[in-house]
Amino acid sequence: MPSRILSFRRSHLPSPRDHKSQADHTESLADIIDTGDQRRHTAAMDIFHFGSKDKRQGTSGHSTPKGKGSPSIAPAKAARLEIEMESPPCVFYGGSNSSGALFSGQLRLIVTEPEGRLTSINMECKGITVTKKPVSKDCPDCINRISVLKSWNFITEPTTYSRGTHHLPFSYLLPGHLPATTHSPLANIDYSLEAKAVIAFADTITLHHPLRVQRALQPSPDKQSVRIFPPTNLTINVIHAPIIHPIGSFLVQFRMNGVVNKERDAQTRWRIRKLDWRIDEHTRNISPACIKHAHKVGGEGKGQQHEDIRIIGSDAIKKGWKTDFDVVGGGQIEMEFPAQIRPGCNPVCDVDSPTGLVTTHSLIIEVIVAEEHAKNVSVRHAVPTGAARVLRTQFKVMLTERGGLGVSWDEEIPPMYEDVPFSPPGYKTMMTDYVGEELPVPPEEDLEHMEIRD
């Protein structure tokens, strides 16, 4: 660019009248030259500072895309903990008077360094209750209640372990009165094993292992219930299973009596138009208050009660019953239908916890009946009277897990010493002389002779 400007000045000499315009033109060209030099200087400085600029941008986090940076690698620990359960799942067989559930396992200490010196190794079995509607939503003491059921101290003094896996056995009998693991809309009840190992001159290793506890009630005979609906003569007889399960259906036998009221010339009778059934889950929980927020509920030791009702299974039946108006005793209508819990609704088994969580279930049946009038001469030509009734009744059912082929721990253990009966009397091996009357010796001719042949 400067060479071109010099040649331009040599070939075009300025005239006096064009001196002013040429001066202005030269001034503008000088500005262009300065601008070009500044641009080149800026570009050179940018190239010089390119690495440091990118480095600064990478440090500030603006140039590096989110999630594509180099991952941070955590330092390897000298040891780790694992839990291996050896017993079957924890199941309480029976109600609150159950003998409990026995579980056992091994806490495995895996040392990755040539040697590891540990100052303490302990583990706790905890029961955790979490309230979903606490008195104060930001207070951890109002939300969580933790109780330690059992604790193990595997070492009492600093111990050095070599590289490899070291087994620490443990076992515990969960009392049968404890509530099972529950996840309800108002509160949760969980059990867990919390292990902790302290390494000398290093950090602490922790392990959380959830422990699921279930309860299974033994099947019982079907329950028969009778309901009366005055001022009518209608009675409902229902036979159903008192214990139901989250998976599977159960049969309900329904019979209605007293559907016909006969007079001298005519009769009044009831017909079923529709039958609805549903299974309600009723949950009630008391949210206790901590010491700081006890004034909100009226003092220490009190709490707020919350209730939740939801439908976990329902159906409407509009046909399938059998009507017989000629049965002695006022006629009857009978039917049988299956009932079950809706899949995917995550039902909560019956629980009655000392912490205040109570869950119950009910089978509710609603029957819509319509009244009609007919003459005894032509009973087939009945005329609806326009009167109708809704008969509603409910029956208590218990929702529990299936027991399967499992048995309680106290029924599968070998018998104790005190349970073994006395053994039969033993026989003496010592021979004694006969004391008594002399035995008669038969004559020789009365004895049978035996021949021995080779």
Side-chain angles (χ1 to χ4, degrees):
M1 190 64 148
S3 61
R4 292 184 181 180
I5 295 172
L6 292 175
S7 62
F8 176 80
R9 288 179 179 177
R10 290 193 186 99
S11 59
H12 297 81
L13 295 177
S15 61
R17 62 179 181 180
D18 295 337
H19 180 75
K20 185 177 179 181
S21 60
Q22 186 175 355
D24 296 339
H25 183 67
T26 307
E27 212 172 45
S28 61
L29 290 174
D31 294 339
I32 294 174
I33 294 171
D34 294 341
T35 305
D37 294 340
Q38 290 178 2
R39 290 179 179 176
R40 286 193 296 271
H41 178 71
T42 305
M45 295 302 293
D46 291 343
I47 295 173
F48 179 79
H49 295 290
F50 179 78
S52 60
K53 185 177 180 181
D54 289 349
K55 186 176 181 180
R56 288 195 301 271
Q57 289 180 355
T59 305
S60 60
H62 295 290
S63 62
T64 304
K66 184 178 181 181
K68 293 186 178 180
S70 59
S72 59
I73 301 175
K77 295 185 178 181
R80 68 176 187 270
L81 295 174
E82 294 180 357
I83 290 181
E84 180 183 1
M85 301 299 296
E86 298 177 344
S87 58
C90 297
V91 181
F92 296 145
Y93 292 96
S96 58
N97 57 351
S98 173
S99 59
L102 180 66
F103 71 89
S104 61
Q106 291 187 4
L107 176 65
R108 296 190 298 182
L109 173 65
I110 304 175
V111 180
T112 57
E113 298 293 335
E115 282 187 353
R117 185 173 179 81
L118 282 78
T119 58
S120 66
I121 304 176
N122 54 62
M123 187 174 66
E124 294 179 343
C125 179
K126 296 181 179 180
I128 305 171
T129 303
V130 179
T131 302
K132 296 184 178 180
K133 293 184 178 181
V135 177
S136 178
K137 62 179 182 179
D138 298 328
C139 179
D141 295 334
C142 294
I143 299 175
N144 301 323
R145 283 171 291 172
I146 301 176
S147 58
V148 179
L149 305 177
K150 176 67 176 178
S151 60
W152 296 269
N153 293 322
F154 295 103
I155 59 175
T156 57
E157 59 183 10
T159 307
T160 302
Y161 291 92
S162 59
R163 185 196 300 268
T165 303
H166 306 272
H167 299 273
L168 305 172
F170 62 88
S171 64
Y172 179 59
L173 176 61
L174 286 170
H177 67 274
L178 295 176
T181 301
T182 305
H183 294 163
S184 69
L186 299 179
N188 292 344
I189 299 177
D190 293 295
Y191 298 90
S192 64
L193 296 175
E194 306 284 345
K196 183 175 66 174
V198 180
I199 304 176
F201 307 106
D203 54 358
T204 302
I205 306 172
T206 58
L207 177 64
H208 173 82
H209 182 81
L211 187 65
R212 187 182 180 188
V213 180
Q214 298 174 312
R215 184 178 298 276
L217 301 178
Q218 299 298 330
S220 58
D222 292 345
K223 183 179 180 181
Q224 182 176 359
S225 303
V226 180
R227 300 290 188 268
I228 303 175
F229 298 92
T232 64
N233 297 327
L234 296 176
T235 60
I236 292 180
N237 191 332
V238 176
I239 301 176
H240 64 93
I243 298 176
I244 61 177
H245 307 286
I247 300 176
S249 61
F250 60 96
L251 291 178
V252 179
Q253 299 179 11
F254 176 87
R255 187 175 72 249
M256 179 184 294
N257 296 326
V259 295
V260 179
N261 184 15
K262 294 184 179 180
E263 298 177 357
R264 178 179 299 179
D265 298 332
Q267 59 181 351
T268 304
R269 56 195 184 186
W270 298 91
R271 284 188 181 272
I272 295 180
R273 298 303 181 187
K274 184 182 178 182
L275 185 145
D276 296 332
W277 66 265
R278 71 176 188 268
I279 301 176
D280 284 356
E281 183 180 274
H282 185 195
T283 303
R284 184 176 68 254
N285 182 48
I286 298 177
S287 301
C290 64
I291 299 177
K292 297 180 181 179
H293 303 95
H295 62 279
K296 293 185 177 181
V297 294
E300 188 176 354
K302 298 182 180 180
Q304 295 177 351
Q305 181 173 341
H306 303 276
E307 293 187 2
D308 179 80
I309 300 177
R310 63 170 183 158
I311 300 175
I312 59 176
S314 62
D315 193 10
I317 302 175
K318 298 181 180 179
K319 60 181 180 179
W321 50 80
K322 179 181 177 182
T323 304
D324 190 355
F325 295 118
D326 297 330
V327 175
V328 180
Q332 70 176 14
I333 302 174
E334 59 181 357
M335 65 179 303
E336 185 178 86
F337 58 89
Q340 65 177 357
I341 295 176
R342 184 176 65 255
C345 66
N346 298 326
V348 181
C349 294
D350 280 45
V351 63
D352 189 359
S353 173
T355 58
L357 178 61
V358 179
T359 302
T360 57
H361 297 83
S362 300
L363 172 63
I364 300 176
I365 298 178
E366 293 182 355
V367 185
I368 300 177
V369 294
E371 187 182 36
E372 60 184 17
H373 183 78
K375 294 184 179 181
N376 293 335
V377 180
S378 57
V379 294
R380 294 185 178 181
H381 300 83
V383 179
T385 61
R389 291 179 179 273
V390 178
L391 310 180
R392 182 178 183 273
T393 179
Q394 63 179 357
F395 310 94
K396 182 179 179 181
V397 293
M398 299 189 68
L399 179 64
T400 179
E401 297 288 347
R402 293 185 181 272
L405 300 177
V407 295
S408 180
W409 68 274
D410 54 348
E411 296 182 2
E412 62 181 7
I413 61 175
M416 302 295 182
Y417 287 105
E418 56 269 13
D419 298 334
V420 178
F422 294 103
S423 59
Y427 297 93
K428 297 181 179 180
T429 58
M430 183 177 61
M431 299 179 63
T432 58
D433 296 334
Y434 173 76
V435 178
E437 298 181 358
E438 184 177 358
L439 297 177
V441 178
E444 186 176 356
E445 58 272 8
D446 295 339
L447 298 176
E448 296 182 1
H449 296 275
M450 301 179 64
E451 296 181 2
I452 301 176
R453 297 180 181 179
D454 296 337

